[in-house]
């Protein structure tokens, strides 16, 4: 599919039009940022890891009945996607205490969540620093309507029901992660969009507890590229055997 005009450039991805108005191309970059853009860097090979991992997981989820924007891989860092209008909510699903949740509820990182998962909705707005919202904020300001928020929560739980056991099968603990959803420009269906990658997930090695995700970059832990390569190796090994 021929790439047309650039429509959007974010911190980690670029979206292009195609000759088909219902389809876009999503290109994954090696650029890395953290803390709302305050920390910048490059993670060699990250674009390829994130693109191939997202493709594999979207394929797995489609197979389990969760509709996504993914159409096909075009190269190791480009995928063809259905054109969507993104709902401006970052949906964080938490299976274990980490990061900002540890501070919010005063519990140690790594603790299990008794009746999890916790689902949090953040306003996707860089200028505001992506603040946490509750449903009243979302509905009162028309950020999304009630049926859409209900549908997003239902789909987030369905995704979690697929991804937790999948990652467990490759020796990774899916601690928490962020999802985005969009409405297809053609047909209006709510689709899982964006990416699912070590940039957007906390993945801890189940045996050692070692962090295998972007926290290695955020917290200057070293071994960032190696961790991303280890994760993609495990995911593609298992996703390949699921697909066949
Ligand atoms: N996350 C993300 N993008 C964001 C914010 C969060 O992908 O803009 C992911 C992050 O990688 C983690 C989860 O969502 O897996 C929860 O992030 P949290 O807000 O706890 O991050 P912290 O504030 O601790 O950096």
């Amino acid at each position: 599919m021929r790439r047309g005009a650039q429509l959007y450039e974010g911190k980690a991805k670029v979206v292009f039009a195609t000759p088909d108005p219902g389809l876009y191309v999503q290109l994954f970059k090696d650029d890395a940022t953290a803390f709302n853009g305050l920390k910048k860097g490059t993670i060699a090979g990250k674009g390829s890891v994130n693109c191939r991992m997202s493709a594999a997981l979207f394929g797995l989820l489609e197979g389990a009945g969760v509709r996504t924007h993914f159409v096909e891989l075009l190269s190791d860092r480009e995928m063809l996607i259905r054109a969507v209008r993104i709902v401006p909510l970052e949906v964080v699903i938490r299976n274990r205490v980490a990061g900002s949740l540890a501070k919010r509820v005063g519990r140690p990182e790594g603790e299990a969540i008794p009746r999890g998962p916790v689902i949090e909705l953040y306003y996707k707005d860089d200028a505001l620093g992506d603040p946490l919202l509750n449903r009243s904020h979302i509905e009162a300001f028309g950020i999304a309507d009630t049926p859409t928020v209900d549908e997003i929560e239902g789909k987030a739980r369905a995704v979690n029901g697929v991804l937790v056991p999948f990652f467990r099968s490759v020796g990774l603990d899916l601690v928490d992660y962020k999802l985005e959803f969009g409405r297809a420009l053609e047909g209006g269906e709510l689709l899982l969009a964006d990416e699912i990658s070590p940039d957007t997930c906390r993945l801890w090695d189940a045996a050692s507890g070692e962090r295998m995700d972007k926290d290695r970059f955020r917290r200057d832990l070293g071994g960032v590229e190696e961790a991303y390569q280890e994760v993609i190796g495990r995911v593609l090994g298992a996703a390949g055997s699921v697909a066949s």
Side-chain angles (χ1 to χ4, degrees):
M1 177 66 70
R2 197 159 44 82
R3 245 163 55 179
Q6 181 176 315
L7 299 176
Y8 166 82
E9 176 156 18
K11 292 180 284 248
K13 297 188 293 294
V14 189
V15 175
F16 297 91
T18 73
D20 181 336
L23 297 172
Y24 291 161
V25 171
Q26 175 164 257
L27 168 76
F28 290 70
K29 302 190 282 186
D30 283 353
D31 299 350
T33 63
F35 312 117
N36 202 21
L38 286 178
K39 182 179 168 95
K40 291 193 173 72
T42 302
I43 300 173
K46 176 174 85 83
S48 165
V49 167
N50 289 4
C51 182
R52 290 177 297 140
M53 178 156 156
S54 297
L57 296 178
F58 286 143
L60 185 73
L61 289 163
E62 288 273 0
V66 179
R67 298 272 290 143
T68 80
H69 72 160
F70 177 68
V71 178
E72 62 177 350
L73 265 181
L74 299 174
S75 73
D76 74 335
R77 59 180 62 227
E78 288 168 298
M79 58 170 65
L80 189 65
I81 57 174
R82 292 183 187 84
V84 298
R85 188 168 43 80
I86 292 285
V87 177
L89 293 174
E90 300 202 341
V91 182
V92 171
I93 298 101
R94 299 177 180 276
N95 294 301
R96 201 176 275 285
V97 175
S100 56
L101 181 63
K103 295 190 188 116
R104 185 176 308 283
V105 297
R107 313 298 305 191
E109 281 209 307
E111 195 174 80
I113 300 175
R115 285 170 294 282
V118 165
I119 298 181
E120 297 172 341
L121 302 168
Y122 291 83
Y123 194 13
K124 189 173 157 58
D125 186 319
D126 280 342
L128 297 178
D130 297 341
L132 180 65
L133 299 178
N134 65 28
R135 289 180 70 119
S136 178
H137 294 121
I138 294 167
E139 288 158 19
F141 289 94
I143 295 165
D145 58 31
T146 305
T148 299
V149 179
D150 288 343
E151 201 179 342
I152 284 175
E153 285 202 13
K155 286 181 189 288
R157 286 180 196 281
V159 168
N160 203 48
V162 174
L163 293 188
V164 167
F166 172 75
F167 280 111
R168 192 175 298 135
S169 76
V170 297
L172 291 169
D173 193 359
L174 180 59
V175 170
D176 57 35
Y177 56 108
K178 187 255 316 181
L179 299 176
E180 295 184 24
F181 293 85
R183 290 236 171 248
L185 297 192
E186 292 184 348
E189 190 182 358
L190 189 72
L191 302 174
L192 178 62
D194 195 51
E195 67 178 288
I196 307 174
S197 72
D199 270 15
T200 63
C201 300
R202 283 198 171 97
L203 294 164
W204 295 357
D205 183 77
S208 67
E210 201 183 341
R211 291 164 192 271
M212 309 287 284
D213 56 59
K214 196 171 150 188
D215 270 352
R216 301 203 72 81
F217 170 78
R218 294 188 189 100
R219 302 183 185 191
D220 292 322
L221 299 175
V224 186
E225 281 87 359
E226 293 79 358
Y228 276 63
Q229 294 300 332
E230 175 65 26
V231 168
I232 191 66
R234 292 194 202 181
V235 166
L236 292 187
S241 58
V242 168
S244 58

